[in-house]
Amino acid sequence: MDHKEGQYKVADLSLAEEGRKRIEWAESRMPVLMKLREEYSQSQPFAGYKITGCLHVTKETAVLIETLKACGAEVAWSGCNPLSTNDSVAAALALGPNGDGDGVEIYAWYGQDTEAFYWCIDRTIDTTPSTTLDDGADLIFRVHSQFPEKAQDIIGGSEETTTGVHRLRAMAEDGKLLYPVYAVNDAETKWDFDNVYGTGQSTLDGILRASSVLLAGKNFVVAGYGHCGRGVAMRAKGMGANVIVTEIKATAALKATLDGMRVMPMEEAAKVGDIFVTATGMKDVVRGEHFVSMKEGAIVCNTGHYDVELDLVALNDIAVSKRTIREDNVEYTMDNGRKVYVLADGRLVNLAAAEGHPSEVMDMSFANQLQAHLALIRRHEAGEDLPNTVLDLPEELDQEIAGIKLETMGLAIDTLSDEQVAYATDYSAGT
Ligand SMILES: NC(=O)c1ccc[n+]([C@@H]2O[C@H](COP(=O)([O-])OP(=O)(O)OC[C@H]3O[C@@H](n4cnc5c(N)ncnc54)[C@H](O)[C@@H]3O)[C@@H](O)[C@H]2O)c1
């Protein structure tokens, strides 16, 4: 472990060169964020502000972090999952773009235990942030539960994922949220792209890296047909799998049916599935009784934010033995003699066993993150007193971000003529 107090704690600084190349690769595929970096590095809107983040340390996150820094922010960072940090990227961030030590404050390494996970978050809170950037609300929750005195210096925050937004809305409803937070997750250019196409592709990537099984012809069970689940189901279907969906919401189940998926309760799906992916944000979706009824060789993983979707405590009770059969893949032999395989310890399989979402999709998610922090600081400087609640980003921003994305893809769209604009609001025009 390489540790310099007040600057970094990462696994191995000698990996920095490899990490730098990964970051450069991501930069070349994140044109929207790079365009914003170019624009705002001139005006330095974050000068004098400290942005503290708790989000998967991947090459794409590194592009966001270095963009915030280029726009004037002092940045401190930790990972938001013990198994998602890319150690080479963390090393490159610590040493900075020129490898001379002018990096950001970063505390993150792959495979940390729970105590180390919170130690890292706490070191970033020590910097007394101006704004916080979360993925899962662990940083915000830590400020509120352990360092509430720091909250008075915090202008606001942003939240990247569905589970985090749910947690924050619950805190706000209870009157417990101490500062305003933008729900970046809920922006159309985030939720409808990152969660769907990002999770769709990267979850299959994680499953394949950890198992290398053939997807065609397999019974592929997806629990939850929301944004992430739909993306995973779509991609698995495209690879020739027979997709089965389990849901608790009638409309979501109906959408899955009309999209050509089979729908059934988990109790039934457990008996026929070859591969299981949870994408619900809910706990105990695959429980002991489900593991027991699974076929020999079933593969089980999770792509929701927390590992609680699979009841691994129950599986450990049922299992008579377990061994790591290959990287990110543990074989459990149950007391009924059958074996099941759990990928990535039930953590987000796309980040723990693969590299997370492709850069192209994180480009838009992180453009929204940058805009959220710009909005917080601009509104603060304008003297606005924002309520301590969960805020939505303006819809116009989605059109702006999507517009830049299309432009960088070399695609153009139509615009309405004056007559068409008038027609849109003319209620007298009928057949
Ligand atoms: N893997 C990743 O990189 C990644 C990316 C984005 C979001 N996420 C996480 O994925 C999870 C889902 O996010 P989303 O945006 O798809 O949420 P969503 O609200 O769009 O969808 C969740 C779906 O799960 C269903 N559901 C809830 N409990 C269920 C149960 N017990 N059985 C079956 N279905 C159930 C809900 O009815 C809903 O349709 C969250 O934890 C989110 O934070 C992960």
Side-chain angles (χ1 to χ4, degrees), residues 4 89 176 220 237 270 289 365 379 393 410-411:
K4 193 165 182 187
V89 169
K176 296 276 163 49
F220 191 105
K237 194 177 178 202
E289 69 264 29
S365 304
R379 297 179 81 170
L393 285 166
L411 300 172

Side-chain angles (χ1 to χ4, degrees), residues 161-164 166 185 190-191 194-195 199 202-203 223-229 246-249 252 279-283 285 303-306 309 348 350-351 357:
T161 199
T162 320
T163 287
H166 287 322
N185 178 73
K190 197 282 178 185
W191 211 358
D194 169 318
N195 298 35
T199 312
S202 62
T203 299
Y225 202 71
H227 294 73
C228 295
T246 74
E247 254 295 344
I248 51 144
K249 199 171 161 190
T280 69
M282 181 48 66
K283 67 185 277 208
V285 178
T303 202
H305 190 75
Y306 288 116
E309 304 209 13
L348 296 147
N350 60 328
L351 281 140
H357 297 354

Side-chain angles (χ1 to χ4, degrees), residues 218-395:
K218 294 283 191 312
N219 287 336
F220 191 105
V221 180
V222 181
Y225 202 71
H227 294 73
C228 295
R230 192 179 133 245
V232 174
M234 250 178 3
R235 293 299 175 247
K237 194 177 178 202
M239 295 280 280
N242 301 309
V243 180
I244 296 169
V245 167
T246 74
E247 254 295 344
I248 51 144
K249 199 171 161 190
T251 47
L254 198 54
K255 280 181 197 164
T257 308
L258 300 199
D259 284 346
M261 318 292 169
R262 287 158 72 199
V263 171
M264 59 183 81
M266 182 57 85
E267 194 186 345
E268 296 303 315
K271 296 176 198 156
V272 293
D274 298 300
I275 300 169
F276 296 80
V277 184
T278 51
T280 69
M282 181 48 66
K283 67 185 277 208
D284 296 340
V285 178
V286 178
R287 299 185 291 278
E289 69 264 29
H290 300 136
F291 284 115
V292 168
S293 63
M294 282 179 194
K295 295 197 288 190
E296 167 69 19
I299 294 169
V300 187
C301 64
N302 166 50
T303 202
H305 190 75
Y306 288 116
D307 57 353
V308 296
E309 304 209 13
L310 311 179
D311 187 353
L312 294 183
V313 175
L315 179 59
N316 273 291
D317 282 348
I318 299 160
V320 291
S321 67
K322 70 179 201 184
R323 61 175 178 150
T324 300
I325 188 95
R326 50 183 284 156
E327 208 179 340
D328 296 312
N329 188 337
V330 174
E331 176 189 85
Y332 288 78
T333 304
M334 297 185 288
D335 51 13
N336 61 14
R338 288 200 287 270
K339 295 184 178 74
V340 293
Y341 295 86
V342 175
L343 308 185
D345 290 341
R347 300 269 179 195
L348 296 147
V349 70
N350 60 328
L351 281 140
E355 293 177 59
H357 297 354
S359 310
E360 289 88 339
V361 83
M362 295 315 294
D363 192 21
M364 291 198 290
S365 304
F366 288 163
N368 277 295
Q369 284 288 5
L370 181 92
Q371 294 290 1
H373 287 259
L374 273 175
L376 285 169
I377 282 164
R378 281 183 181 146
R379 297 179 81 170
H380 167 74
E381 288 178 347
E384 264 190 76
D385 194 13
L386 296 175
N388 292 343
T389 187
V390 178
L391 307 167
D392 287 324
L393 285 166
E395 271 178 48

Side-chain angles (χ1 to χ4, degrees), residues 374-426:
L374 273 175
L376 285 169
I377 282 164
R378 281 183 181 146
R379 297 179 81 170
H380 167 74
E381 288 178 347
E384 264 190 76
D385 194 13
L386 296 175
N388 292 343
T389 187
V390 178
L391 307 167
D392 287 324
L393 285 166
E395 271 178 48
E396 309 83 77
L397 192 60
D398 278 319
Q399 297 310 320
E400 194 184 312
I401 290 174
I404 304 174
K405 189 73 180 174
L406 283 172
E407 199 183 302
T408 62
M409 293 166 84
L411 300 172
I413 56 173
D414 289 325
T415 47
L416 292 179
S417 65
D418 291 346
E419 289 77 15
Q420 286 173 312
V421 172
Y423 177 79
T425 51
D426 180 4

